[in-house]
Each structure stands twice: as structure tokens, then as C-alpha cells.
Amino acid sequence: EFRRVLFRSTMGDVGENIRKVNAFFRNTFPAYAPAKIVGNQFGPITQSTVKEFQRRASVGGGIDGNIGPLTYKAMQNHGFKY
């Protein structure tokens, strides 16, 4: 299930779910998600984009660059749909 996998998404994860995350950030937040945030790998560009999102969205639980329950919920609040 997407939610279970996404809650544990960290650097190095690969898959279709990560491709959707990268597309969401690239399309929704072009000001801080670079055009090169593409593909299905959770790499350093994805991690830095997630950190910036966590800062701007005031996600509780700290800014760690990982997609956990609080970050996932904030993404949903900004229109992320799976």
C-alpha cells in the first residue's frame, strides 16, 4: 500500500511512489523543487526539496528530509493525491 511505503520513504528508496512524489513537488512547488527532480529515486535532490517543503509548510516533528506521517499529511493538504 502506498501510504505504508511512503511513511518510510528516505534517501535511497526507489519506485513508482517516489516518481509520484517527485512529480508532485516539481509541479506544485517549482520555486524550490528543481526541474531535475525527476525519476523514481529518492536522492539528494528529493531530500533537499522535502526539507524545504517541511520548513515552508511548518511540518511538525523536525526537518529531516524524510517523508513520514506528518509530511505526508502536509503534502495531502497541499493537493498530493495518490
Side-chain angles (χ1 to χ4, degrees), residues 10-82:
T10 60
M11 180 77 81
D13 287 351
V14 176
E16 184 60 26
N17 294 338
I18 303 303
R19 182 182 311 281
K20 291 176 183 181
V21 166
N22 286 339
F24 165 74
F25 283 120
R26 185 181 64 248
N27 295 328
T28 308
F29 302 105
Y32 61 88
K36 57 187 172 181
I37 185 172
V38 296
N40 65 348
Q41 183 172 0
F42 195 120
I45 296 170
T46 302
Q47 186 178 53
S48 71
T49 300
V50 172
K51 284 181 179 180
E52 186 62 25
F53 173 76
Q54 290 170 327
R55 267 191 282 281
R56 291 180 184 224
S58 299
V59 175
I63 297 168
D64 60 6
N66 298 318
I67 300 174
L70 297 175
T71 300
Y72 179 72
K73 180 66 174 166
M75 289 167 60
Q76 288 180 309
N77 291 341
H78 286 87
F80 181 74
K81 293 183 181 6
Y82 177 71

